[in-house]
Amino acid sequence: MPTTPATAAHSSSNGTADAIMLELVDESGTTIGTAEKLAAHQAPGQLHRAFSVFLFDEQGQLLLQRRALGKYHSPGVWSNTCCGHPYPGEAPFAAAARRTYEELGISPSLLAAAGTVRYNHPDPVSGLVEQEFNHLFVGMVQEQLRPDAEEVGETAYVTAGELAERHAAAPFSAWFMTVLDAARPAIRELTGPSAGW
């Protein structure tokens, strides 16, 4: 992936991991500061910028990922194609493309903004809180997936009907239905009415 000023500032040349910083925002999405990632998620949570990606194949099936068991937040649960946080100063679109490549080893053949949604979802298992101003993106994937096992435990392409069955039978991230419902108008525009989204 190309290096931008925002990503370069978060790359360590000596191999040590720097603290991951998030962009704090107000209710309108205007940046008001920064906070360390884990601190921003500790109850009651600090409102911060995030993104969620929904990628589909040519048959209109949604690419889901099951989060790796080693993740500190919501490990082992199913969620949308990719989600995460822009670095301070990084455009949400650039962050969405970057993390999709880092987690799944793919670059979407199409990626388009699909609005924003603001939510507050506590995670009953970890006690962490998702207070997020989330930028939504929808797109297409035409490449072979190459998931990073430290990020992704499993992937699956599902139809709308299969998603409903899977959602009833398996744990999903606390934010999944909120972001999916907010992205549905753009998803329907992308996949067409016959896909059932």
Side-chain angles (χ1 to χ4, degrees), residues 33-120:
T34 60
E36 191 275 325
K37 183 178 180 180
L38 186 56
H41 288 88
Q42 290 174 338
Q46 298 177 74
L47 184 59
H48 58 274
R49 195 177 309 284
F51 64 83
S52 289
V53 177
F54 296 85
L55 296 183
F56 295 81
D57 66 12
E58 292 174 339
Q59 289 73 47
Q61 297 181 108
L62 171 61
L63 173 59
L64 298 176
Q65 70 154 276
R66 187 171 62 81
R67 295 165 63 84
L69 292 174
K71 301 279 278 186
Y72 81 96
H73 194 325
S74 302
V77 303
W78 288 93
S79 199
N80 47 293
T81 308
C82 180
C83 53
H85 310 92
Y87 293 132
E90 183 182 23
F93 182 92
R98 172 180 58 80
R99 283 304 289 165
T100 300
Y101 185 83
E102 289 171 355
E103 291 188 9
L104 295 161
I106 56 171
S107 295
S109 56
L110 169 73
L111 191 64
T116 60
V117 62
R118 190 262 195 255
Y119 53 79
N120 174 5

Side-chain angles (χ1 to χ4, degrees), residues 2-173:
T3 300
T4 67
T7 57
H10 298 277
S11 299
S12 177
S13 59
N14 62 8
T16 60
D18 293 333
I20 297 173
M21 302 300 289
L22 307 185
E23 225 173 56
L24 300 180
V25 299
D26 64 16
E27 292 293 338
S28 66
T30 301
T31 302
I32 58 171
T34 60
E36 191 275 325
K37 183 178 180 180
L38 186 56
H41 288 88
Q42 290 174 338
Q46 298 177 74
L47 184 59
H48 58 274
R49 195 177 309 284
F51 64 83
S52 289
V53 177
F54 296 85
L55 296 183
F56 295 81
D57 66 12
E58 292 174 339
Q59 289 73 47
Q61 297 181 108
L62 171 61
L63 173 59
L64 298 176
Q65 70 154 276
R66 187 171 62 81
R67 295 165 63 84
L69 292 174
K71 301 279 278 186
Y72 81 96
H73 194 325
S74 302
V77 303
W78 288 93
S79 199
N80 47 293
T81 308
C82 180
C83 53
H85 310 92
Y87 293 132
E90 183 182 23
F93 182 92
R98 172 180 58 80
R99 283 304 289 165
T100 300
Y101 185 83
E102 289 171 355
E103 291 188 9
L104 295 161
I106 56 171
S107 295
S109 56
L110 169 73
L111 191 64
T116 60
V117 62
R118 190 262 195 255
Y119 53 79
N120 174 5
H121 285 302
D123 176 30
V125 176
S126 67
L128 299 174
V129 178
E130 291 287 7
Q131 283 268 21
E132 294 188 330
F133 188 94
N134 197 304
H135 297 256
L136 308 171
F137 298 93
V138 301
M140 302 287 295
V141 59
Q142 295 174 306
E143 295 181 55
Q144 184 70 34
L145 303 178
R146 298 182 305 280
D148 178 349
E150 292 187 7
E151 298 286 346
V152 180
E154 190 178 349
T155 60
Y157 285 96
V158 297
T159 65
E162 290 166 346
L163 174 62
E165 293 174 9
R166 187 180 288 258
H167 191 262
F172 272 70
S173 63

